[in-house]
Amino acid sequence: MVYASVAQAAEILREAVPLERNHVALHLERYIEQDGQSKKPILFVHGVTFSSHEFDVNYKDYSLARYFAKHGYEVWLLDIAGFGHSETVKDGFMPDSDYAAEDIEAAVRCILARNNLSSMDVLGWSWGTVTSGRFAARHPELVHRLVLYAPIFVGMGEKAVKEPFHHNTWGSAASDFQRKADGSIDFDIAEELLVNTYIANAWHYDRDSSPNGGRRDLLVSDNVRLIPMESINVPVLIIAGSKDQYASPALCKEAFAMLSNRDKSQLVIIDGGGHAMVMERPYYKKFRENVLRFLQAN
């Protein structure tokens, strides 16, 4: 199925590419600018509650997918099994972090076969850093460069996750935006219309529930290492905001020191940025410029 964005129909083609793994139909979508130039593929991997639409908040110029599509990339978005437009699953605990890493592998192999390439770039956000990090550790031959954005390196604290599906609410959709002292969203950092667009997308694409396998993996002791950093030997960019509640600068520095390929890797902490800095007015340009610079390095 091929369909075009209304706002940019003449510029960016969006194509849904059939993919199935473990008898589950997965939503894999390509964004590519129609300018006749050759493109490098990159796969974006979403977090634990909401699906890959978070990379295409089509408000002003905030869409990360469209930004990279305009800067020489064939951008791919994947919804892990049970999320977004991928087929629903009966057991919400089934798509855990290791299962999701295998969905990523299936998507990467599909993309590489289409492009006749041996490796490609991958960017994961939040839980997507756990899943893409595990994939990269197991299949370094398939990864050119890896971006860990707002990485969750250790468990977020022990909490029993008894229900296989998470009940999605407005609050969970808005939870990654920075707050003022009174608890309200800081619209000086994230524009109100952008936040509303993101939340509307969450309801449209993810509805009222999402699988809880990844959340159960995350809600463990902070002594548990979630990403096998010492086993990742491809070039890695660790990029996080100094105000990210899940990825402290100290944890990022510790994880960077574990990499075997530090000479080709980078650590970037964006002062003031939060977990969703890709959508934060003061920081989104700094974020994507750092990512693009890393991916284009020799």
Side-chain angles (χ1 to χ4, degrees), residues 111-171:
I111 297 164
L112 292 176
R114 283 174 57 107
N115 287 277
N116 193 28
L117 294 172
S118 59
S119 66
M120 61 179 287
D121 297 322
V122 178
L123 178 150
W125 179 13
S126 193
W127 178 56
T129 64
V130 178
T131 59
S132 60
R134 294 186 186 189
F135 159 68
R138 294 168 190 169
H139 297 283
E141 74 282 2
L142 301 180
V143 181
H144 177 240
R145 285 177 175 254
L146 175 67
V147 178
L148 300 179
Y149 158 39
I152 303 180
F153 293 117
V154 299
M156 295 163 53
E158 292 186 66
K159 184 178 180 181
V161 180
K162 299 179 180 179
E163 297 298 326
F165 291 92
H166 180 261
H167 177 59
N168 299 338
T169 63
W170 181 94

Side-chain angles (χ1 to χ4, degrees), residues 66-239:
R66 295 167 196 271
Y67 174 81
F68 275 87
K70 289 177 173 292
H71 286 80
Y73 285 86
E74 176 186 82
V75 177
W76 292 84
L77 307 185
L78 169 69
D79 288 350
I80 300 300
F83 288 84
H85 279 167
S86 285
E87 187 177 350
T88 57
V89 295
K90 292 181 179 179
D91 179 6
F93 288 136
M94 181 183 74
D96 61 10
S97 301
D98 289 326
Y99 185 100
E102 294 178 359
D103 276 359
I104 295 168
E105 178 189 352
V108 166
R109 290 189 185 279
C110 172
I111 297 164
L112 292 176
R114 283 174 57 107
N115 287 277
N116 193 28
L117 294 172
S118 59
S119 66
M120 61 179 287
D121 297 322
V122 178
L123 178 150
W125 179 13
S126 193
W127 178 56
T129 64
V130 178
T131 59
S132 60
R134 294 186 186 189
F135 159 68
R138 294 168 190 169
H139 297 283
E141 74 282 2
L142 301 180
V143 181
H144 177 240
R145 285 177 175 254
L146 175 67
V147 178
L148 300 179
Y149 158 39
I152 303 180
F153 293 117
V154 299
M156 295 163 53
E158 292 186 66
K159 184 178 180 181
V161 180
K162 299 179 180 179
E163 297 298 326
F165 291 92
H166 180 261
H167 177 59
N168 299 338
T169 63
W170 181 94
S172 54
S175 63
D176 288 335
F177 293 103
Q178 294 195 51
R179 305 291 173 139
K180 294 182 177 180
D182 64 2
S184 63
I185 295 174
D186 189 340
F187 292 125
D188 291 329
I189 294 178
E191 297 187 46
E192 186 170 6
L193 287 178
L194 177 142
V195 172
N196 291 340
T197 300
Y198 176 82
I199 292 173
N201 286 347
W203 285 114
H204 175 72
Y205 291 104
D206 304 299
R207 301 169 296 280
D208 60 357
S209 71
S210 55
N212 247 349
R215 181 169 281 99
R216 185 168 66 174
D217 288 344
L218 299 181
L219 292 177
V220 295
S221 165
D222 61 7
N223 292 322
V224 178
R225 302 285 172 177
L226 299 176
I227 306 174
M229 299 300 293
E230 69 283 353
S231 300
I232 300 175
N233 58 23
V234 302
V236 177
L237 168 63
I238 297 173
I239 183 165

Side-chain angles (χ1 to χ4, degrees), residues 1-3 13-18 28-32 76 114:
M1 176 175 66
V2 176
Y3 49 96
L13 174 77
R14 294 174 59 191
E15 175 189 10
V17 175
L28 181 63
E29 186 176 5
R30 180 178 77 136
Y31 287 57
I32 189 167
W76 292 84
R114 283 174 57 107

Side-chain angles (χ1 to χ4, degrees), residues 233-278:
N233 58 23
V234 302
V236 177
L237 168 63
I238 297 173
I239 183 165
S242 67
K243 292 188 177 180
D244 190 328
Q245 65 267 43
Y246 308 121
S248 71
L251 279 174
C252 291
K253 291 175 183 176
E254 180 183 88
F256 184 81
M258 298 170 69
L259 291 170
S260 61
N261 201 356
R262 289 190 298 276
D263 59 327
K264 292 186 178 179
S265 298
Q266 294 180 22
L267 169 60
V268 175
I269 303 296
I270 295 181
D271 188 37
H275 197 64
M277 64 182 169
V278 71

